[in-house]
Amino acid sequence: MRGVIAAAEPAAHSALGPGLTLTVAAGAVAVLLLLIVFLKLQPMIALLAVSIATALVLGIPLDEVMSTLNDGLGGTLAEVALIVGFGAMLGRMLEISGGASVLAEALVRRFGERRAPLALGIAALLFGFPIFLDAGVVIFLPIVFTVARRLGGSVLRYALPVVGAFAVMHAFVPPHPGPVSAAGLIGANTGLLLLIGLVVGIPTWLIAGYAFGLWNGSRVFLPVPENSTASGQDTAPDKPRPSMGAVIGLLLLPLVLIFLRTGLNTLVSEDVVDSKSQLVQAAILIGQSPVALAVAVLVASVVLGLKRGMRGKEIENELTASLSTIAAVILITGAGGMFGAVLAKAGVGNALAEGLNSAGIPLIVAAFLIAVVMRVAQGSATVALTTSAGFIAPAVSAASGLTSIDLCLIVIAIASGATVLSHVNDSGFWLVGRLLGMDVPTTLKTWTVMETLIGVVGFLIAWALSIFL
């Protein structure tokens, strides 16, 4: 791949200018870490205070500060609140019915105790095709906690291969929105991207998710969180446990519904089916992730609850209890979105990208670096993927000699850059950290390092493929 990135139109910045804007942004991150890590200030308060101060320093008008914060909070909660909430409910029903134990025992029996992290990770890779990282992590953690309690050792040994698998699939493989959007902007074929995403993603997970999870779990001991919904015990031991088929079916149900939506959207775009058909629209609606998970919760309430002799009031109490354990997670995640929105509004990402834009470096390297900039500046991997693809798309169009494989590898490079260095402005940082009961330093040493490894390893594989293919 011989293309280089050409100059683009200047991007808008805050009133302070690019250099000072970047300095203020870096200082804001440092202050935020100081408040949370060393002064032990409650994260939501710290995020709100630093977000407001940063907005004012970067010149966002006073009458726009609150709307910027609300947009960041609301946009993040719109993406994660329902998914995380219904995912927690489904996980709770699997746990109290003994379904999580049934699946955990089957995995351990099939793969052996020593290979339990591998079994969990492979299962997460399969379920990671259509399910977003947030929902997948929430659904799988009760199973992870059950295995960790049974086999002992740090929960990171079992959790990191799982969250790493969902992170890889979320970043590299359609039908997830980031790679699909980037493919559309770059002009890459999504079918070929799915294949190449797997070719890059599987070895990336083996190195950065599975191997790192085992290594990190042997060095950082983290117990199963005491306030997790996964108690490790069936709350109704006198009732029969669900069958393995029922558990697998419940986990597959939201996947099937989401896959159905993805397939119908493809058929609609190709004019194979009528987009105005009420039946098609209803199927697409049911396949939306929050709705699909809600359907799974209703089915689980019947299959794992009512059919096992639980009363409706008992089921409602259990589902409500599952929400109480993740309320703080959702709110802190939303507060992280506020900080990311302030940095994005002030043009921090554009300020950094301009410096790379004029460097004349190889196109695939520039794609990776620009995505890194966008990721660090505003937090969301999906947003970083999409904005970076839009930023570099004109240079891709102007470059000559790019094959369809080259275009897919550029998308993978962007996805890799949009994965690295997850920190305090990323909702995933708070979600994974809080669900696993980690403080900020531990989350930086585990989740942030793993995400960075995923991005770097994925990019190196894509870059090597671009040279030799």
Side-chain angles (χ1 to χ4, degrees):
M1 187 182 299
R2 300 178 180 274
V4 296
I5 186 168
E9 293 298 320
H13 303 295
S14 75
L16 301 180
L20 195 52
T21 295
L22 297 179
T23 301
V24 171
V29 173
V31 170
L32 190 55
L33 291 174
L34 174 67
L35 292 175
I36 296 173
V37 175
F38 296 104
L39 299 184
K40 307 300 181 184
L41 188 63
Q42 208 282 333
M44 282 187 61
I45 299 174
L47 285 162
L48 177 62
V50 172
S51 296
I52 293 174
T54 304
L56 296 177
V57 173
L58 290 178
I60 295 177
L62 283 171
D63 59 350
E64 295 181 16
V65 170
M66 204 61 227
S67 62
T68 300
L69 298 180
N70 286 335
D71 288 345
L73 176 68
T76 302
L77 292 181
E79 291 181 1
V80 305
L82 289 177
I83 290 176
V84 173
F86 288 129
M89 290 182 187
L90 180 57
R92 182 64 174 170
M93 290 306 300
L94 287 169
E95 179 61 29
I96 64 171
S97 67
S101 296
V102 168
L103 184 55
E105 289 168 2
L107 289 171
V108 172
R109 187 167 55 250
R110 178 63 62 89
F111 286 82
E113 292 187 3
R114 292 184 58 189
R115 296 187 180 90
L118 178 64
L120 290 168
I122 291 174
L125 284 172
L126 294 174
F127 283 96
F129 263 105
I131 285 188
F132 287 5
L133 184 149
D134 300 334
V137 169
V138 173
I139 291 172
F140 262 68
L141 279 187
I143 301 167
V144 169
F145 294 156
T146 300
V147 173
R149 282 195 175 94
R150 180 159 302 165
L151 302 183
S154 174
V155 72
L156 294 173
R157 175 180 172 84
Y158 311 96
L160 289 181
V162 167
V163 296
F166 281 111
V168 166
M169 300 301 284
H170 188 79
F172 293 160
V173 180
H176 291 283
V180 169
S181 299
L185 292 166
I186 297 296
N189 180 281
T190 53
L192 182 59
L193 177 62
L194 190 152
L195 176 61
I196 293 178
L198 290 174
V199 169
V200 176
I202 291 175
T204 297
W205 171 76
L206 284 171
I207 296 169
Y210 175 63
F212 173 74
L214 296 182
W215 178 85
N216 193 269
S218 67
R219 284 159 175 76
V220 179
F221 178 78
L222 185 73
V224 176
E226 294 181 1
N227 64 344
S228 69
T229 59
S231 64
Q233 302 292 328
D234 180 353
T235 59
D238 56 322
K239 296 181 175 63
R241 297 201 302 177
S243 67
M244 182 67 174
V247 174
I248 294 295
L250 285 169
L251 290 174
L252 285 175
L253 177 58
L255 273 74
V256 171
L257 294 176
I258 295 169
F259 262 136
L260 177 62
R261 173 182 61 85
T262 302
L264 285 174
N265 280 331
T266 301
L267 294 176
V268 166
S269 66
E270 298 293 334
D271 293 326
V272 176
V273 298
D274 183 9
S275 62
K276 296 182 180 179
S277 166
Q278 292 295 310
L279 182 61
V280 170
Q281 291 180 2
I284 291 175
L285 174 63
I286 294 173
Q288 296 289 338
S289 295
V291 181
L293 285 169
V295 171
V297 170
L298 289 174
V299 174
S301 298
V302 175
V303 174
L304 303 181
L306 294 177
K307 286 192 173 182
R308 294 178 64 250
M310 293 181 68
R311 296 191 302 272
K313 185 62 176 177
E314 290 179 84
I315 296 173
E316 189 224 348
N317 289 340
E318 293 290 352
L319 296 182
T320 301
S322 72
L323 294 179
S324 66
T325 63
I326 62 163
V329 173
I330 293 174
L331 290 174
I332 292 174
T333 299
M338 291 192 306
F339 184 53
V342 168
L343 297 183
K345 175 82 171 179
V348 172
N350 287 334
L352 278 169
E354 261 189 21
L356 296 173
N357 191 43
S358 58
I361 56 181
L363 192 57
I364 192 169
V365 178
F368 171 74
L369 294 176
I370 289 172
V372 170
V373 165
M374 296 296 183
R375 164 69 153 171
V376 172
Q378 55 74 45
S380 168
T382 300
V383 173
L385 241 168
T386 305
T387 55
S388 301
F391 190 87
I392 204 169
V396 173
S397 299
S400 60
L402 296 178
T403 67
S404 56
I405 293 178
D406 288 332
L407 294 177
C408 290
L409 291 173
I410 289 174
V411 173
I412 296 297
I414 295 172
S416 299
T419 302
V420 305
L421 295 172
S422 168
H423 64 100
V424 292
N425 68 340
D426 176 25
S427 60
F429 176 91
W430 297 105
L431 181 72
V432 172
R434 296 294 153 167
L435 287 175
L436 288 174
M438 296 189 289
D439 57 20
V440 170
T442 305
T443 310
L444 289 169
K445 290 186 293 185
T446 55
W447 165 257
T448 301
V449 173
M450 186 190 69
E451 283 278 87
T452 303
L453 279 175
I454 289 173
V456 171
V457 172
F459 168 67
L460 291 177
I461 294 174
W463 193 8
L465 290 175
S466 75
I467 295 173
F468 294 108
L469 292 183

